[in-house]
PDB file of all heavy atoms in Angstrom:
ATOM      1  N   SER A  93     150.149 144.013 115.584  1.00 59.00           N
ATOM      2  CA  SER A  93     151.073 144.438 116.633  1.00 59.00           C
ATOM      3  C   SER A  93     152.267 143.488 116.711  1.00 59.00           C
ATOM      4  O   SER A  93     152.167 142.305 116.396  1.00 59.00           O
ATOM      5  CB  SER A  93     150.347 144.487 117.979  1.00 59.00           C
ATOM      6  OG  SER A  93     149.879 143.200 118.327  1.00 59.00           O
ATOM      7  N   ASN A  94     153.369 144.017 117.134  1.00 52.00           N
ATOM      8  CA  ASN A  94     154.599 143.233 117.195  1.00 52.00           C
ATOM      9  C   ASN A  94     154.669 142.535 118.545  1.00 52.00           C
ATOM     10  O   ASN A  94     155.319 142.989 119.475  1.00 52.00           O
ATOM     11  CB  ASN A  94     155.810 144.151 116.985  1.00 52.00           C
ATOM     12  CG  ASN A  94     157.094 143.370 116.825  1.00 52.00           C
ATOM     13  OD1 ASN A  94     157.075 142.154 116.675  1.00 52.00           O
ATOM     14  ND2 ASN A  94     158.217 144.071 116.871  1.00 52.00           N
ATOM     15  N   ASP A  95     153.956 141.418 118.683  1.00 58.00           N
ATOM     16  CA  ASP A  95     153.949 140.698 119.955  1.00 58.00           C
ATOM     17  C   ASP A  95     154.314 139.237 119.766  1.00 58.00           C
ATOM     18  O   ASP A  95     153.785 138.354 120.411  1.00 58.00           O
ATOM     19  CB  ASP A  95     152.578 140.812 120.620  1.00 58.00           C
ATOM     20  CG  ASP A  95     151.477 140.231 119.745  1.00 58.00           C
ATOM     21  OD1 ASP A  95     151.775 139.852 118.593  1.00 58.00           O
ATOM     22  OD2 ASP A  95     150.314 140.150 120.219  1.00 58.00           O
ATOM     23  N   GLY A  96     155.157 138.991 118.804  1.00 53.00           N
ATOM     24  CA  GLY A  96     155.580 137.618 118.562  1.00 53.00           C
ATOM     25  C   GLY A  96     154.945 137.010 117.330  1.00 53.00           C
ATOM     26  O   GLY A  96     155.362 135.940 116.899  1.00 53.00           O
ATOM     27  N   THR A  97     153.957 137.670 116.753  1.00 54.00           N
ATOM     28  CA  THR A  97     153.327 137.135 115.541  1.00 54.00           C
ATOM     29  C   THR A  97     153.849 137.817 114.289  1.00 54.00           C
ATOM     30  O   THR A  97     153.438 137.474 113.188  1.00 54.00           O
ATOM     31  CB  THR A  97     151.811 137.331 115.604  1.00 54.00           C
ATOM     32  OG1 THR A  97     151.526 138.728 115.705  1.00 54.00           O
ATOM     33  CG2 THR A  97     151.220 136.616 116.807  1.00 54.00           C
ATOM     34  N   GLY A  98     154.682 138.836 114.460  1.00 56.00           N
ATOM     35  CA  GLY A  98     155.218 139.506 113.283  1.00 56.00           C
ATOM     36  C   GLY A  98     154.494 140.808 113.010  1.00 56.00           C
ATOM     37  O   GLY A  98     153.295 140.918 113.216  1.00 56.00           O
ATOM     38  N   ASN A  99     155.234 141.787 112.545  1.00 60.00           N
ATOM     39  CA  ASN A  99     154.660 143.102 112.266  1.00 60.00           C
ATOM     40  C   ASN A  99     154.185 143.134 110.816  1.00 60.00           C
ATOM     41  O   ASN A  99     154.831 143.690 109.938  1.00 60.00           O
ATOM     42  CB  ASN A  99     155.708 144.182 112.540  1.00 60.00           C
ATOM     43  CG  ASN A  99     155.102 145.574 112.523  1.00 60.00           C
ATOM     44  OD1 ASN A  99     153.891 145.729 112.453  1.00 60.00           O
ATOM     45  ND2 ASN A  99     155.963 146.581 112.575  1.00 60.00           N
ATOM     46  N   GLN A 100     153.022 142.504 110.555  1.00 64.00           N
ATOM     47  CA  GLN A 100     152.530 142.344 109.195  1.00 64.00           C
ATOM     48  C   GLN A 100     151.425 143.349 108.886  1.00 64.00           C
ATOM     49  O   GLN A 100     150.678 143.748 109.776  1.00 64.00           O
ATOM     50  CB  GLN A 100     151.981 140.918 108.999  1.00 64.00           C
ATOM     51  CG  GLN A 100     153.035 139.848 109.193  1.00 64.00           C
ATOM     52  CD  GLN A 100     152.391 138.483 109.208  1.00 64.00           C
ATOM     53  OE1 GLN A 100     151.535 138.212 110.033  1.00 64.00           O
ATOM     54  NE2 GLN A 100     152.805 137.634 108.277  1.00 64.00           N
ATOM     55  N   LYS A 101     151.302 143.727 107.644  1.00 70.00           N
ATOM     56  CA  LYS A 101     150.227 144.624 107.205  1.00 70.00           C
ATOM     57  C   LYS A 101     148.965 143.810 106.920  1.00 70.00           C
ATOM     58  O   LYS A 101     149.019 142.813 106.192  1.00 70.00           O
ATOM     59  CB  LYS A 101     150.644 145.364 105.942  1.00 70.00           C
ATOM     60  CG  LYS A 101     149.845 146.628 105.680  1.00 70.00           C
ATOM     61  CD  LYS A 101     150.223 147.721 106.659  1.00 70.00           C
ATOM     62  CE  LYS A 101     149.568 149.041 106.269  1.00 70.00           C
ATOM     63  NZ  LYS A 101     149.883 150.109 107.231  1.00 70.00           N
ATOM     64  N   ILE A 102     147.842 144.200 107.534  1.00 72.00           N
ATOM     65  CA  ILE A 102     146.568 143.500 107.326  1.00 72.00           C
ATOM     66  C   ILE A 102     145.693 144.350 106.416  1.00 72.00           C
ATOM     67  O   ILE A 102     145.403 145.505 106.727  1.00 72.00           O
ATOM     68  CB  ILE A 102     145.839 143.262 108.659  1.00 72.00           C
ATOM     69  CG1 ILE A 102     146.745 142.522 109.643  1.00 72.00           C
ATOM     70  CG2 ILE A 102     144.541 142.503 108.435  1.00 72.00           C
ATOM     71  CD1 ILE A 102     147.173 141.166 109.170  1.00 72.00           C
ATOM     72  N   LYS A 103     145.278 143.815 105.302  1.00 77.00           N
ATOM     73  CA  LYS A 103     144.401 144.530 104.380  1.00 77.00           C
ATOM     74  C   LYS A 103     143.158 143.693 104.101  1.00 77.00           C
ATOM     75  O   LYS A 103     143.174 142.475 104.273  1.00 77.00           O
ATOM     76  CB  LYS A 103     145.109 144.859 103.068  1.00 77.00           C
ATOM     77  CG  LYS A 103     146.221 145.884 103.214  1.00 77.00           C
ATOM     78  CD  LYS A 103     146.790 146.266 101.875  1.00 77.00           C
ATOM     79  CE  LYS A 103     147.869 147.331 102.033  1.00 77.00           C
ATOM     80  NZ  LYS A 103     147.294 148.613 102.494  1.00 77.00           N
ATOM     81  N   GLY A 104     142.108 144.353 103.676  1.00 80.00           N
ATOM     82  CA  GLY A 104     140.871 143.647 103.359  1.00 80.00           C
ATOM     83  C   GLY A 104     139.759 144.630 103.023  1.00 80.00           C
ATOM     84  O   GLY A 104     140.023 145.793 102.727  1.00 80.00           O
ATOM     85  N   ASP A 105     138.535 144.144 103.069  1.00 86.00           N
ATOM     86  CA  ASP A 105     137.398 145.021 102.780  1.00 86.00           C
ATOM     87  C   ASP A 105     136.153 144.461 103.454  1.00 86.00           C
ATOM     88  O   ASP A 105     136.103 143.307 103.856  1.00 86.00           O
ATOM     89  CB  ASP A 105     137.171 145.188 101.275  1.00 86.00           C
ATOM     90  CG  ASP A 105     137.135 143.875 100.529  1.00 86.00           C
ATOM     91  OD1 ASP A 105     136.754 142.858 101.143  1.00 86.00           O
ATOM     92  OD2 ASP A 105     137.471 143.857  99.342  1.00 86.00           O
ATOM     93  N   THR A 106     135.154 145.339 103.558  1.00 89.00           N
ATOM     94  CA  THR A 106     133.865 144.977 104.152  1.00 89.00           C
ATOM     95  C   THR A 106     132.749 145.556 103.299  1.00 89.00           C
ATOM     96  O   THR A 106     132.770 146.746 102.959  1.00 89.00           O
ATOM     97  CB  THR A 106     133.735 145.524 105.586  1.00 89.00           C
ATOM     98  OG1 THR A 106     134.813 145.030 106.385  1.00 89.00           O
ATOM     99  CG2 THR A 106     132.410 145.104 106.209  1.00 89.00           C
ATOM    100  N   GLY A 107     131.777 144.740 102.941  1.00 91.00           N
ATOM    101  CA  GLY A 107     130.563 145.194 102.258  1.00 91.00           C
ATOM    102  C   GLY A 107     129.360 144.917 103.136  1.00 91.00           C
ATOM    103  O   GLY A 107     129.318 143.904 103.844  1.00 91.00           O
ATOM    104  N   SER A 108     128.392 145.809 103.130  1.00 92.00           N
ATOM    105  CA  SER A 108     127.232 145.632 104.017  1.00 92.00           C
ATOM    106  C   SER A 108     125.976 146.205 103.382  1.00 92.00           C
ATOM    107  O   SER A 108     126.025 147.079 102.513  1.00 92.00           O
ATOM    108  CB  SER A 108     127.477 146.313 105.373  1.00 92.00           C
ATOM    109  OG  SER A 108     127.594 147.715 105.210  1.00 92.00           O
ATOM    110  N   LEU A 109     124.834 145.682 103.847  1.00 94.00           N
ATOM    111  CA  LEU A 109     123.514 146.205 103.494  1.00 94.00           C
ATOM    112  C   LEU A 109     122.781 146.474 104.801  1.00 94.00           C
ATOM    113  O   LEU A 109     122.557 145.559 105.597  1.00 94.00           O
ATOM    114  CB  LEU A 109     122.731 145.199 102.655  1.00 94.00           C
ATOM    115  CG  LEU A 109     121.269 145.572 102.343  1.00 94.00           C
ATOM    116  CD1 LEU A 109     121.215 146.823 101.478  1.00 94.00           C
ATOM    117  CD2 LEU A 109     120.547 144.420 101.647  1.00 94.00           C
ATOM    118  N   THR A 110     122.428 147.737 105.028  1.00 94.00           N
ATOM    119  CA  THR A 110     121.750 148.117 106.275  1.00 94.00           C
ATOM    120  C   THR A 110     120.514 148.939 105.962  1.00 94.00           C
ATOM    121  O   THR A 110     120.398 149.541 104.894  1.00 94.00           O
ATOM    122  CB  THR A 110     122.677 148.940 107.188  1.00 94.00           C
ATOM    123  OG1 THR A 110     123.082 150.128 106.493  1.00 94.00           O
ATOM    124  CG2 THR A 110     123.892 148.136 107.596  1.00 94.00           C
ATOM    125  N   ALA A 111     119.607 148.965 106.930  1.00 93.00           N
ATOM    126  CA  ALA A 111     118.429 149.836 106.874  1.00 93.00           C
ATOM    127  C   ALA A 111     118.581 150.900 107.950  1.00 93.00           C
ATOM    128  O   ALA A 111     118.942 150.599 109.089  1.00 93.00           O
ATOM    129  CB  ALA A 111     117.148 149.035 107.102  1.00 93.00           C
ATOM    130  N   GLN A 112     118.338 152.156 107.587  1.00 90.00           N
ATOM    131  CA  GLN A 112     118.412 153.281 108.528  1.00 90.00           C
ATOM    132  C   GLN A 112     117.037 153.897 108.701  1.00 90.00           C
ATOM    133  O   GLN A 112     116.346 154.159 107.711  1.00 90.00           O
ATOM    134  CB  GLN A 112     119.372 154.369 108.024  1.00 90.00           C
ATOM    135  CG  GLN A 112     120.818 154.125 108.329  1.00 90.00           C
ATOM    136  CD  GLN A 112     121.683 155.322 107.947  1.00 90.00           C
ATOM    137  OE1 GLN A 112     121.211 156.291 107.362  1.00 90.00           O
ATOM    138  NE2 GLN A 112     122.952 155.249 108.286  1.00 90.00           N
ATOM    139  N   TYR A 113     116.661 154.099 109.963  1.00 92.00           N
ATOM    140  CA  TYR A 113     115.420 154.811 110.251  1.00 92.00           C
ATOM    141  C   TYR A 113     115.771 156.158 110.871  1.00 92.00           C
ATOM    142  O   TYR A 113     116.485 156.232 111.866  1.00 92.00           O
ATOM    143  CB  TYR A 113     114.520 154.027 111.196  1.00 92.00           C
ATOM    144  CG  TYR A 113     113.175 154.688 111.381  1.00 92.00           C
ATOM    145  CD1 TYR A 113     112.154 154.467 110.457  1.00 92.00           C
ATOM    146  CD2 TYR A 113     112.942 155.562 112.430  1.00 92.00           C
ATOM    147  CE1 TYR A 113     110.929 155.085 110.596  1.00 92.00           C
ATOM    148  CE2 TYR A 113     111.720 156.197 112.572  1.00 92.00           C
ATOM    149  CZ  TYR A 113     110.712 155.951 111.645  1.00 92.00           C
ATOM    150  OH  TYR A 113     109.505 156.583 111.777  1.00 92.00           O
ATOM    151  N   HIS A 114     115.261 157.250 110.262  1.00 88.00           N
ATOM    152  CA  HIS A 114     115.593 158.604 110.661  1.00 88.00           C
ATOM    153  C   HIS A 114     114.464 159.220 111.482  1.00 88.00           C
ATOM    154  O   HIS A 114     113.294 158.912 111.282  1.00 88.00           O
ATOM    155  CB  HIS A 114     115.853 159.476 109.427  1.00 88.00           C
ATOM    156  CG  HIS A 114     116.982 158.979 108.574  1.00 88.00           C
ATOM    157  ND1 HIS A 114     116.851 157.895 107.731  1.00 88.00           N
ATOM    158  CD2 HIS A 114     118.266 159.413 108.439  1.00 88.00           C
ATOM    159  CE1 HIS A 114     118.002 157.679 107.105  1.00 88.00           C
ATOM    160  NE2 HIS A 114     118.868 158.575 107.516  1.00 88.00           N
TER     161      HIS A 114
END
Side-chain angles (χ1 to χ4, degrees):
S93 62
N94 189 11
D95 60 354
T97 60
N99 191 8
Q100 298 171 301
K101 200 72 172 178
I102 305 299
K103 292 186 178 292
D105 50 28
T106 303
S108 64
L109 174 64
T110 60
Q112 277 187 354
Y113 186 84
H114 300 76

